[in-house]
Amino acid sequence: MSETTPVYDVGAPEPKPIDEELSVKLGHLAEDAILRGKPNGAERCDNCLYYLDTDKDITYCWHPKLRILVGGDWWCQWWEEIEE
């Protein structure tokens, strides 16, 4: 066997039924939250009250209607200013 011959062939990766279900579910969640992958002016997830760890580019949003991982540059309708 040569170095380029795989030990076994697992085939091309394909999504499983759970991946399709989660895609639809999270798509609806994003629509309901008006979740966007870019900021809304100065409002962005990483300066929102619900962004759990502001030192990370991606972290957990703990807003009761979202509760998912979000990116720091993202934005949703439930953005709330952090009180100082």
Side-chain angles (χ1 to χ4, degrees), residues 17-78:
I18 186 70
D19 300 313
E20 302 285 339
E21 292 169 27
L22 287 172
S23 176
V24 170
K25 181 179 177 181
L26 292 172
H28 290 299
L29 179 64
E31 288 174 14
D32 292 345
I34 311 175
L35 182 61
R36 302 290 179 254
K38 56 187 173 188
N40 183 28
E43 296 176 1
R44 41 189 286 143
C45 288
D46 66 2
N47 66 10
C48 175
L49 173 67
Y50 299 105
Y51 195 75
L52 191 61
D53 189 345
T54 56
D55 293 332
K56 295 185 178 180
D57 292 335
I58 296 175
T59 195
Y60 184 73
C61 170
W62 56 275
H63 188 280
K65 293 188 178 182
L66 218 51
R67 292 192 167 115
I68 61 170
L69 288 175
V70 296
D73 287 338
W74 296 12
W75 173 87
C76 86
Q77 68 179 350
W78 296 302

